[in-house]
């Protein structure tokens, strides 16, 4: 599961990330691995993850290479979740 957000350590993104983090064990039991992604720098991501005790790894995409391949969802400035399922492929849910 790829959780995309426009900017780490902002009110809306933090609220969504913490909510998703609280579901990490439930998602893992269902077979999902959760990752967050944004264009933020690694240090910013690491500080935010530590500060909020997020239960998933954060990925950096400063050139929007990954994000642009997924219909530019991050470029819209909104939070999005993409769930990649082995049998079904990619499922998209906007937050």
């Amino acid at each position: 599961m790829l959780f995309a957000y426009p900017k780490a350590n902002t009110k809306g993104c933090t609220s969504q990330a913490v909510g998703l983090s609280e579901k990490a064990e439930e998602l893992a039991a269902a077979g999902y691995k959760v990752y967050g992604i944004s264009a933020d720098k690694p240090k910013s991501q690491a500080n935010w993850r530590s500060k909020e005790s997020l239960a998933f790894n954060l990925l950096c995409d400063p050139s929007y290479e990954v994000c642009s391949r997924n219909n530019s969802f991050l470029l819209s400035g909104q939070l999005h979740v993409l769930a990649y399922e082995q049998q079904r492929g990619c499922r998209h849910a906007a937050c």
Side-chain angles (χ1 to χ4, degrees):
M1 181 173 286
L2 187 63
F3 166 62
Y5 47 92
K7 183 106 176 108
N9 207 24
T10 58
K11 185 177 179 179
C13 295
T14 297
S15 174
Q16 292 290 327
V18 169
L20 189 58
S21 186
E22 290 171 353
K23 301 281 186 187
E25 286 184 32
E26 184 179 331
L27 291 165
Y32 289 99
K33 293 181 182 180
V34 179
Y35 299 91
I37 188 168
S38 78
D40 292 300
K41 294 183 179 180
K43 185 175 180 179
S44 176
Q45 299 274 49
N47 289 342
W48 186 49
R49 182 176 185 227
S50 177
K51 176 183 171 186
E52 300 300 335
S53 301
L54 299 178
F56 48 86
N57 290 319
L58 303 178
L59 308 173
C60 302
D61 186 20
S63 63
Y64 294 95
E65 184 176 334
V66 173
C67 297
S68 65
R69 291 180 186 204
N70 290 290
N71 300 320
S72 301
F73 60 86
L74 187 56
L75 300 176
S76 69
Q78 298 177 349
L79 303 164
H80 292 265
V81 174
L82 293 174
Y84 294 91
E85 297 179 345
Q86 210 168 24
Q87 301 298 323
R88 297 182 183 172
C90 181
R91 298 175 68 201
H92 176 260
C95 298

